[in-house]
């Protein structure tokens, strides 16, 4: 998946603007249902709802009547059956759907993207390990909230950062390289946001070659380093570059990437395994994403054309 996004594409006019989503909490509206509504499933459902709500990991939608009826089935790619599509369509005021089932001594949690009608997460463990299962799911939800914050939040002045050499349009296979200049001493985080959020944001800077992202006033940094390949793909798209300027390092996040990859992912500790105890269930994601929300952000949009 990573290599797919390292080869980029773009077909557009360049636009520059600061975020207008100041103060927006980067969480989803989530429905949590027990299907079928067994006694054990309802207990687990209520526990998950309490965990999401008490830690501000999301806002809880009201349950639907008879939501436990019908089949909830997905293929190996996460695509729903026709009957499942009909069930999903009933959730008109919901971003995500959590399905809880407890059968044959197993607890199962499924996480569905309602808008795109896609299964994003599914995991199961014996009933005796249901809290461990919930902890794993909440770590996944933390990651989703971070990616939402990277894609849609940010505040402050649009004068903090300047970009140079990013063109309005690119063609397939063309190298993409630009400069970032900071008006003040800042930690700078530069993120690629794929078109329509079809893929997860990728941290372009810092990266495995340029791991020092403290940029002093007036300094110019070329992104990516010339030793890293960053090219337009053959698929036309409209992507965004988002650059955050922060006085403080984002220490609450973990950088993770494979050895063969040039760029990192920005993940919460619970996902990277640095905090696997039950305490990870009590981390308030509000604090996880606060540094993203409070950092001034600049955004540049470009399009990629196929040859």
């Amino acid at each position: 998946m990573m290599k797919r996004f390292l080869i980029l594409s773009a077909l557009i006019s360049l636009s520059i603007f600061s975020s207008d989503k100041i103060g927006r909490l980067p969480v989803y509206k989530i429905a949590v249902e027990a299907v079928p509504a067994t006694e054990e499933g309802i207990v687990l459902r209520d526990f998950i709802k309490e965990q999401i709500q008490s830690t501000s990991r999301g806002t809880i939608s009201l349950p639907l009547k008879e939501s436990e009826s019908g089949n909830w089935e997905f293929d190996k790619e996460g695509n729903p059956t026709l009957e499942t599509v009909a069930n999903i369509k009933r959730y008109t005021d919901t971003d995500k759907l959590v399905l809880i089932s407890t059968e044959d001594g197993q607890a199962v949690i499924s996480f569905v993207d309602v808008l795109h009608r896609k299964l994003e997460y599914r995991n199961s463990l014996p009933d005796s390990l249901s809290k461990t299962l919930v902890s794993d799911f909440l770590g996944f939800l933390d990651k989703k909230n971070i990616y939402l914050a990277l894609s849609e939040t940010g505040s402050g002045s649009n004068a903090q950062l300047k970009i140079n050499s990013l063109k309005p349009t690119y063609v397939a296979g063309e190298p993409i390289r630009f400069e970032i200049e900071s008006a003040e001493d800042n930690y700078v985080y530069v993120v690629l946001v794929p078109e329509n959020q079809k893929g997860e944001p990728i941290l372009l800077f810092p990266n495995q070659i340029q791991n020092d992202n403290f940029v002093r006033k007036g300094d110019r940094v070329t992104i990516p380093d010339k030793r890293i390949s960053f090219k337009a793909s053959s698929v036309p798209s409209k992507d965004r570059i988002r650059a955050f300027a922060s006085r403080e390092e984002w220490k609450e996040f973990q950088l993770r990437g494979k050895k063969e990859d040039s760029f990192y992912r920005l993940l919460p500790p619970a996902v990277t395994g640095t905090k696997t105890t039950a305490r990870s269930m009590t981390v308030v994601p509000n604090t996880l994403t606060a540094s993203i929300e409070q950092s001034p952000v600049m955004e540049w949009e470009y399009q990629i054309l196929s040859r």
Side-chain angles (χ1 to χ4, degrees), residues 2 6 14 54 66 86 104 112 131 148 187 196 207 210 236 246 248 250 258:
M2 178 68 78
L6 298 186
L14 183 65
S54 64
E66 300 178 354
D104 301 324
V112 182
K131 287 191 176 181
L148 181 64
Y187 286 94
N196 299 326
N207 53 59
Q210 300 163 291
S246 176
E248 303 293 333
W250 291 356
K258 298 178 182 178

Side-chain angles (χ1 to χ4, degrees), residues 76 121 135 186 198 202 266:
K76 292 181 179 180
Y121 169 97
S135 181
N186 282 308
K198 290 180 180 178
I202 296 171
L266 193 65

Side-chain angles (χ1 to χ4, degrees), residues 233-270:
S233 75
S234 59
V235 180
S237 64
K238 180 183 291 186
D239 301 330
R240 292 179 291 151
I241 299 292
R242 307 198 89 215
F244 297 84
S246 176
R247 294 291 186 183
E248 303 293 333
E249 190 175 4
W250 291 356
K251 293 182 179 180
E252 64 268 43
F253 301 113
Q254 298 292 318
L255 303 181
R256 175 61 63 91
K258 298 178 182 178
K259 289 183 178 180
E260 62 270 21
D261 296 326
S262 300
F263 304 114
Y264 289 121
R265 302 292 180 119
L266 193 65
L267 300 173

Side-chain angles (χ1 to χ4, degrees), residues 13-301:
S13 58
L14 183 65
S15 62
I16 304 178
F17 49 91
S18 61
S19 173
D20 59 0
K21 300 180 177 65
I22 297 175
R24 181 184 184 279
L25 188 64
V27 293
Y28 295 102
K29 192 167 187 180
I30 302 172
V32 185
E33 307 284 6
V35 289
T38 62
E39 182 177 350
E40 296 83 359
I42 292 173
V43 170
L44 185 56
R45 177 202 66 189
D46 292 345
F47 179 69
I48 290 175
K49 288 172 68 173
E50 190 277 331
Q51 286 293 315
I52 293 174
Q53 221 160 11
S54 64
T55 59
S56 301
R57 283 178 163 100
T59 57
I60 299 296
S61 301
L62 294 175
L64 297 181
K65 293 182 179 179
E66 300 178 354
S67 60
E68 71 277 6
S69 62
N71 294 322
W72 294 87
E73 297 180 352
F74 300 84
D75 63 19
K76 292 181 179 180
E77 285 71 43
N79 300 308
T81 62
L82 291 177
E83 184 175 353
T84 300
V85 169
N87 291 334
I88 294 174
K89 284 182 178 179
R90 294 185 295 164
Y91 292 86
T92 56
D93 191 30
T94 300
D95 301 315
K96 307 289 183 179
L97 171 63
V98 182
L99 300 173
I100 313 297
S101 63
T102 53
E103 296 181 302
D104 301 324
Q106 290 283 316
V108 182
I109 299 178
S110 302
F111 191 65
V112 182
D113 184 331
V114 174
L115 177 61
H116 298 100
R117 298 171 191 169
K118 190 85 170 181
L119 180 67
E120 295 186 301
Y121 169 97
R122 174 172 281 170
N123 197 11
S124 64
L125 284 175
D127 287 339
S128 59
L129 297 175
S130 59
K131 287 191 176 181
T132 301
L133 177 64
V134 173
S135 181
D136 181 81
F137 167 68
L138 292 178
F140 174 82
L141 184 56
D142 287 346
K143 183 180 73 170
K144 297 295 293 185
N145 283 331
I146 288 172
Y147 288 163
L148 181 64
L150 289 173
S151 301
E152 306 225 347
T153 65
S155 62
S157 169
N158 64 359
Q160 288 287 307
L161 297 171
K162 180 181 178 182
I163 197 167
N164 303 306
S165 304
L166 183 67
K167 301 193 303 181
T169 61
Y170 292 85
V171 297
E174 183 179 0
I176 298 177
R177 187 166 280 112
F178 52 89
E179 286 184 341
I180 286 287
E181 182 177 350
S182 180
E184 302 292 340
D185 292 353
N186 282 308
Y187 286 94
V188 177
Y189 295 85
V190 182
V191 179
L192 165 70
V193 181
E195 182 179 25
N196 299 326
Q197 299 183 29
K198 290 180 180 178
E200 297 172 346
I202 296 171
L203 190 64
L204 299 180
F205 182 79
N207 53 59
Q208 294 194 14
I209 298 295
Q210 300 163 291
N211 49 31
D212 182 3
N213 65 318
F214 183 73
V215 180
R216 296 196 176 277
K217 178 180 179 179
D219 285 354
R220 292 186 176 187
V221 179
T222 299
I223 301 173
D225 184 277
K226 292 183 179 180
R227 292 168 288 178
I228 302 176
S229 177
F230 184 58
K231 297 181 179 180
S233 75
S234 59
V235 180
S237 64
K238 180 183 291 186
D239 301 330
R240 292 179 291 151
I241 299 292
R242 307 198 89 215
F244 297 84
S246 176
R247 294 291 186 183
E248 303 293 333
E249 190 175 4
W250 291 356
K251 293 182 179 180
E252 64 268 43
F253 301 113
Q254 298 292 318
L255 303 181
R256 175 61 63 91
K258 298 178 182 178
K259 289 183 178 180
E260 62 270 21
D261 296 326
S262 300
F263 304 114
Y264 289 121
R265 302 292 180 119
L266 193 65
L267 300 173
V271 173
T272 60
T274 56
K275 291 183 181 179
T276 55
T277 66
R279 289 185 63 190
S280 64
M281 296 175 61
T282 62
V283 172
V284 181
N286 234 9
T287 62
L288 259 181
T289 58
S291 54
I292 298 176
E293 294 178 85
Q294 295 166 6
S295 298
V297 59
M298 283 294 292
E299 183 173 286
W300 299 269
E301 191 177 75

